[in-house]
């Protein structure tokens, strides 16, 4: 971010990397809404209203980043990198398979998986919330939804870790051969399963994707494979991050934790506040399609814009006392799942999964507390712990 900032923001010098990032964003946000970063040659958008405009005005702020960099076919059929009308076509096809009914029917299975994972913890006094629970539940759920073996989750974890190891969602991916190898391996994996579903369709999401059709238009094999990979990565990374971040935030706010302990019906509010406070993705990238005025700045055509969801969700102009974690916050118009045409297609699934996970955790371990040793992702585009030691209170 540009060095033109206002000193003294809380958290700016914190050893906690996410708190430090929040502090730097707050300093920039206090100075102005839109800053040009000379080092990365990007426009950083920090305040809520301007971030929301970037996310909702798809005609001016394009998600097709190959306008300014060569993405190749890696992100073909990735809804996050597409504009209307092609985006609408793909989302319409995918929505035929990814329906609210499909999500609801997964609830019973999620509850069973949650119970099994908690049973496996037995009488352990301590465990790593990520490795032993928060990662495993979403990845099994997404694998079963897609119809691929949950036993392959070691592969899924490898692919996710490859993406998480980069410092940028775009530029580093293209320059890191190990990341590109992982993406190619992932695409081939899902292509193989897609070809099998074309021959022998079942009731899983991959089968439904092979059969989805609008006016004779169907997804091709590469589109199916890339979308399945996107859903796998985004689905389990998002849910894992929010589950862990919720536990961390509640532990750091004992009065909120006590209120939730007395009434588990507060969990939906806790989920929304966690997504506001710790959005799973801290930023979104766009490219300007024309010269545009934003936040008092003139941004030329063809410029890379970084919309900071993390900053917008902590904007004092939109949220009262934004640094307070408040599970009863109402209204809570966060943009942690983006906005506009790119609003997270899996938001309903993620919310259901996170609610079931938190109900199971706090129902089984009412004395759950966080132990020292939490570690955040090195890539702070991903907000959430990657290691979170906890005590069951037993």
């Amino acid at each position: 971010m540009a060095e033109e900032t206002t000193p003294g923001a809380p958290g700016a010098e914190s050893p906690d990397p996410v708190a430090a990032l929040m502090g730097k964003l707050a300093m920039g946000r206090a100075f102005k809404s839109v800053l040009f970063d000379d080092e990365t040659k990007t426009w950083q958008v920090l305040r809520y209203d301007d971030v929301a405009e970037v996310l909702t005005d798809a005609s001016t702020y394009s998600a097709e980043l190959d306008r300014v960099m060569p993405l190749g076919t890696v992100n073909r059929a990735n809804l996050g990198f597409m504009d209307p009308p092609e985006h609408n076509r793909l989302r319409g096809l995918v929505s035929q398979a990814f329906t609210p009914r499909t999500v609801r029917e997964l609830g019973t299975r999620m509850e069973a998986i949650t119970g099994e994972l908690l049973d496996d913890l037995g009488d352990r006094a301590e465990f790593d919330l990520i490795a032993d629970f928060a990662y495993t539940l979403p990845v099994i759920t997404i694998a079963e939804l897609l119809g691929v073996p949950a036993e392959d989750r070691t592969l899924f974890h490898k692919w996710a870790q490859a993406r998480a190891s980069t410092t940028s969602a775009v530029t580093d991916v293209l320059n890191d051969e190990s990341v590109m190898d992982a993406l190619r391996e992932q695409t081939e994996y899902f292509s193989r399963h897609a070809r099998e579903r074309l021959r022998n369709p079942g009731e899983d999401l991959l089968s439904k994707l092979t059969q989805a059709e609008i006016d004779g238009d169907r997804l091709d094999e590469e589109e199916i494979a890339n979308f399945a990979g996107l859903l796998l990565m985004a689905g389990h990374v998002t849910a894992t991050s929010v589950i862990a971040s919720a536990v961390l935030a509640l532990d750091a706010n004992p009065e909120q934790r006590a209120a939730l302990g007395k009434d588990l019906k507060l969990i939906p509010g806790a989920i929304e506040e966690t997504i506001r406070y710790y959005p799973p993705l801290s930023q979104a990238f766009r490219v300007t399609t024309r010269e545009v005025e934003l936040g008092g700045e003139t941004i030329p055509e063809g410029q890379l814009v970084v919309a900071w969801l993390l900053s917008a969700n902590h904007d004092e102009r939109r949220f009262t006392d934004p640094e307070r974690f408040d599970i009863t916050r109402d209204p809570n118009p966060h943009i942690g799942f983006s906005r506009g045409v790119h609003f997270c297609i899996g938001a309903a699934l993620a919310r259901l999964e996170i609610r079931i996970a938190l109900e199971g955790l706090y129902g089984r371990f009412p004395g759950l507390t966080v132990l020292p040793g939490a570690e955040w992702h090195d890539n702070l585009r991903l907000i959430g712990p990657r290691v979170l030691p906890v005590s069951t209170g037993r």
Side-chain angles (χ1 to χ4, degrees):
M1 185 179 300
E3 294 300 319
E4 301 175 299
T5 55
T6 302
E13 304 302 325
S14 171
D16 175 340
V18 176
L21 175 59
M22 287 181 177
K24 290 177 181 178
L25 292 170
M27 290 193 296
R29 196 168 60 241
F31 178 67
K32 60 195 313 186
S33 182
V34 178
L35 301 167
F36 183 72
D37 186 341
D38 285 315
E39 182 178 353
T40 61
K41 307 302 181 186
T42 60
W43 295 86
Q44 311 278 314
V45 185
L46 305 178
R47 294 179 184 169
Y48 184 97
D49 287 347
D50 290 325
V51 170
E53 182 174 343
V54 170
L55 296 177
T56 54
D57 185 357
S59 63
T60 302
Y61 303 96
S62 170
E64 295 179 354
L65 302 188
D66 54 2
R67 291 170 179 263
V68 294
M69 60 185 67
L71 293 180
T73 63
V74 170
N75 283 302
R76 183 166 177 259
N78 184 328
L79 287 168
F81 291 88
M82 297 172 67
D83 293 333
E86 188 64 13
H87 174 277
N88 298 348
R89 165 197 168 257
L90 181 59
R91 189 159 181 141
L93 286 169
V94 167
S95 296
Q96 291 187 14
F98 200 59
T99 62
R101 179 181 177 183
T102 300
V103 172
R104 287 195 305 272
E105 290 175 349
L106 278 170
T108 301
R109 180 60 183 140
M110 290 179 196
E111 290 172 352
I113 296 170
T114 298
E116 291 166 8
L117 292 173
L118 293 173
D119 289 343
D120 288 344
L121 292 171
D123 295 324
R124 290 170 58 180
E126 300 177 3
F127 62 94
D128 178 1
L129 184 72
I130 308 295
D132 297 324
F133 182 77
Y135 169 76
T136 310
L137 170 63
V139 80
I140 291 176
T141 300
I142 295 294
E144 293 190 356
L145 173 66
L146 287 167
V148 298
E151 293 75 18
D152 288 344
R153 57 182 176 269
T154 301
L155 269 180
F156 309 153
H157 186 61
K158 182 182 77 170
W159 300 333
Q161 288 300 103
R163 290 298 295 266
S165 68
T166 63
T167 57
S168 165
V170 182
T171 55
D172 283 4
V173 168
L174 300 172
N175 296 322
D176 190 323
E177 195 57 35
S178 65
V179 177
M180 295 302 292
D181 285 344
L183 289 173
R184 284 189 283 267
E185 183 180 340
Q186 173 185 294
T187 299
E188 176 50 35
Y189 175 90
F190 283 111
S191 291
R192 188 168 65 252
H193 280 281
R195 289 193 293 271
E196 172 59 27
R197 295 311 188 284
L198 283 168
R199 292 191 297 267
N200 299 295
E203 296 300 318
D204 53 76
L205 182 57
L206 267 178
S207 294
K208 292 176 182 178
L209 289 172
T210 65
Q211 304 300 315
E213 180 178 338
I214 293 180
D215 297 330
D217 195 11
R218 284 189 165 185
L219 301 172
D220 63 34
E221 180 184 302
E222 187 177 57
E223 288 176 319
I224 293 169
N226 283 352
F227 177 75
L230 167 69
L231 183 61
L232 176 70
M233 293 299 103
H236 83 261
V237 168
T238 295
T240 298
S241 295
V242 177
I243 292 167
S245 294
V247 170
L248 190 67
L250 286 164
D251 187 80
N253 294 273
E255 76 290 350
Q256 302 288 303
R257 172 67 185 89
L260 185 142
K262 294 176 183 176
D263 185 3
L264 290 181
K265 291 180 181 178
L266 292 174
I267 283 179
I271 293 170
E272 298 309 308
E273 181 67 345
T274 301
I275 298 169
R276 181 194 72 85
Y277 201 90
Y278 290 130
L281 291 181
S282 64
Q283 55 192 206
F285 295 86
R286 298 290 188 268
V287 177
T288 51
T289 61
R290 60 178 178 84
E291 182 178 280
V292 61
E293 297 288 330
L294 185 71
E297 298 289 336
T298 301
I299 305 178
E301 178 184 351
Q303 296 287 293
L304 193 60
V305 173
V306 182
W308 282 91
L309 281 65
L310 178 63
S311 181
N313 280 350
H314 287 259
D315 189 353
E316 303 82 358
R317 296 155 194 79
R318 189 63 183 84
F319 297 95
T320 302
D321 197 5
E323 299 314 311
R324 171 175 164 77
F325 184 81
D326 181 4
I327 64 176
T328 63
R329 186 180 295 275
D330 184 26
N332 190 352
H334 68 76
I335 48 179
F337 279 157
S338 193
R339 181 170 285 188
V341 298
H342 292 288
F343 180 76
C344 177
I345 195 171
L349 175 64
R351 286 180 166 116
L352 176 62
E353 195 166 31
I354 297 160
R355 176 178 63 77
I356 289 170
L358 293 178
E359 287 175 348
L361 272 173
Y362 288 117
R364 187 73 63 95
F365 305 125
L368 189 74
T369 56
V370 173
L371 298 172
E375 298 177 13
W376 298 87
H377 289 291
D378 294 331
N379 171 7
L380 289 182
R381 186 172 186 261
L382 301 177
I383 300 297
R386 61 183 179 89
V387 175
L388 188 63
V390 294
S391 167
T392 62
R394 292 178 173 174

